Amino acid sequence: MNTESREWSIQDLARISGTTSRTLRHYQSVGLLEPVRLGANGMRYYDDAALGALLNILVLRRLGFSLERIKTIRAGETELVSALQSRVRELTALEEKVQRQIRSVQLTIDQLTNGVSAMSADSFDGFDNSVYQEEVEERWGKDAYAAANQQWKSMSPEQQKAHQQEHLDMALEYQRLAEAGVAADASEAQAAAARHVAWLAVFTKPTYAYVVGLAEMYVADPRFAANYHGHAEYVRDALTVYADKELAQ
């Protein structure tokens, strides 16, 4: 019986697991998934144990766990059942916010149907940026979230509404481009990405690492993906191309 462990290149492992090479490299950078060896050309190779670890990570990500919490679970610092119970409580709280958002969206539809401006204060009820605090702090630190949150609170209600509306408009533009079959590296898509980066710049300097990391998070985290009408991967690809061209150092 041959007990020799199989090996996969990073591209093969990404294909088998349904993820991307970029995501696998990110998991290594945060200490979650190490290759078993590097080839002579620097290519990462993974074995059966790494595949098992990756599948475990992906399951936990689909359940909505942050990478930091997954690290504590896999390290045995957090008991899985306890973590799942905590996740249920978080999802219950999130469900309440989502229900408020549904009511707000329906209100906006009713207002538009009746010829009333969609920019009423009630239209943004339930849109609470604090739900993303953990992800922001995990990736970019507490100072980054605190600075952005302070900037948000310093804005007038009218400015906050305008900023929210700009994001809604951007999401619709991405949807239009994706459904029209416009390539992510086409000029129209890159114009949308530039608009997106300018929107981000209100709160922080949009560095290459920041934009690419955020783009990946749009796909990995269902809370973010839900903002893009089923086209989060298109948004990620457009932003990644833009970052490679305009922000890479």
Side-chain angles (χ1 to χ4, degrees), residues 152-161:
W152 173 255
K153 290 181 177 179
S154 72
M155 297 167 68
S156 69
E158 290 74 19
Q159 289 172 321
Q160 290 178 347
K161 292 175 191 176

Side-chain angles (χ1 to χ4, degrees), residues 20-152:
T20 66
S21 298
R22 189 183 296 272
T23 296
L24 296 180
R25 289 192 292 271
H26 179 62
Y27 287 170
Q28 181 183 4
S29 72
V30 298
L32 260 180
L33 185 70
E34 292 292 333
V36 66
R37 69 180 181 86
L38 295 178
N41 58 354
M43 175 71 71
R44 296 168 173 82
Y45 289 90
Y46 300 83
D47 61 5
D48 286 331
L51 173 61
L54 174 60
L55 295 178
N56 180 258
I57 291 166
L58 294 176
V59 168
L60 292 173
R61 286 298 281 166
R62 292 189 185 105
L63 292 175
F65 286 103
S66 68
L67 296 182
E68 191 60 36
R69 291 181 72 184
I70 292 174
K71 285 178 67 176
T72 65
I73 292 170
R74 290 190 51 76
E77 299 170 10
T78 300
E79 202 271 324
L80 180 57
V81 172
S82 175
L84 290 171
Q85 291 171 336
S86 176
R87 183 62 184 150
V88 168
R89 291 191 292 270
E90 292 173 359
L91 290 172
T92 300
L94 180 60
E95 181 181 24
E96 294 174 358
K97 290 183 181 294
V98 170
Q99 289 301 319
R100 290 180 63 199
Q101 291 181 7
I102 291 172
R103 291 193 296 271
S104 298
V105 172
Q106 187 58 57
L107 175 61
T108 302
I109 293 172
D110 294 342
Q111 290 172 332
L112 291 171
T113 302
N114 291 296
V116 179
S117 171
M119 288 296 292
S120 70
D122 288 340
S123 298
F124 292 102
D125 179 46
F127 288 88
D128 177 7
N129 66 319
S130 67
V131 300
Y132 304 126
Q133 178 176 355
E134 183 180 0
E135 290 290 342
V136 174
E137 290 184 346
E138 173 190 315
R139 288 175 176 261
W140 299 290
K142 293 184 177 181
D143 289 344
Y145 175 80
N149 195 46
Q150 183 178 6
Q151 175 65 16
W152 173 255

Side-chain angles (χ1 to χ4, degrees), residues 168-187:
L168 295 176
D169 292 344
M170 286 192 310
L172 290 174
E173 176 66 2
Y174 278 126
Q175 180 181 13
R176 181 188 72 80
L177 293 169
E179 292 179 355
V182 176
D185 60 354
S187 59

